[in-house]
Amino acid sequence: MILETAILLRCANTLRNMSSRLGKLFMPWHTTVLISVALSYILFAHTLQVWIWSSGFVLSGALPDWNTAIYFSLVTYTTVGYGDVVVGPDLRIFAAFGAVTGLLGFGISTAFLVGAMGKVFVFSHEDSNSN
């Protein structure tokens, strides 16, 4: 979660800088660019977390290969939990923490996106009123 928070803070700085650089660019494009950048950061943060969980499963020997570990981590992180790949009883709690991390990560990402886009839309509304 610390990693995701750091990435989202970096994203906020990037969005702030880009917003001032884009200035009075045609507003739909301005908004589209900022949303795309925010979504890219969020996707990167979640992908990185899935890879970190996968590393734990492979390095501990809980799962036999990277392909299976990434699949299992992604399914667990998103709390889909198909159940076609499982870990042994000694690592079930570790997998459960992966699911909790995913829940918290998606919650933080959603809150960040709502907050960031609220500012983007306020910015675009203020610009349209000043014309």
Side-chain angles (χ1 to χ4, degrees), residues 9-94:
L9 286 172
R10 177 74 178 148
C11 179
N13 288 333
T14 301
L15 291 176
R16 195 174 304 112
N17 292 336
M18 287 185 74
S19 184
S20 64
R21 282 187 198 151
L22 292 173
K24 299 207 183 253
L25 181 69
F26 184 60
M27 249 336 128
W29 288 110
H30 179 267
T31 304
T32 301
V33 167
L34 293 177
I35 290 172
S36 297
V37 168
L39 289 173
S40 296
Y41 271 90
I42 289 169
L43 183 60
F44 173 72
H46 289 292
T47 301
L48 195 55
Q49 288 184 84
V50 167
W51 275 88
I52 290 169
W53 283 103
S54 300
S55 298
F57 290 119
V58 168
L59 296 175
S60 70
L63 295 171
D65 57 65
W66 282 98
N67 198 24
T68 304
I70 292 167
Y71 169 77
F72 176 78
S73 297
L74 185 59
V75 168
T76 302
Y77 186 81
T78 58
T79 68
V80 172
Y82 289 128
D84 55 343
V85 176
V86 294
V87 293
D90 52 334
L91 288 175
R92 286 184 190 158
I93 193 73
F94 186 64

Side-chain angles (χ1 to χ4, degrees), residues 1 4-5 8 11-12 15 38-39 42 46 102-119:
M1 296 311 308
E4 180 163 358
T5 302
L8 292 179
C11 179
L15 291 176
L39 289 173
I42 289 169
H46 289 292
L103 280 170
L104 292 172
F106 284 113
I108 289 171
S109 295
T110 301
F112 174 82
L113 194 58
V114 168
M117 292 309 101
K119 289 185 183 228

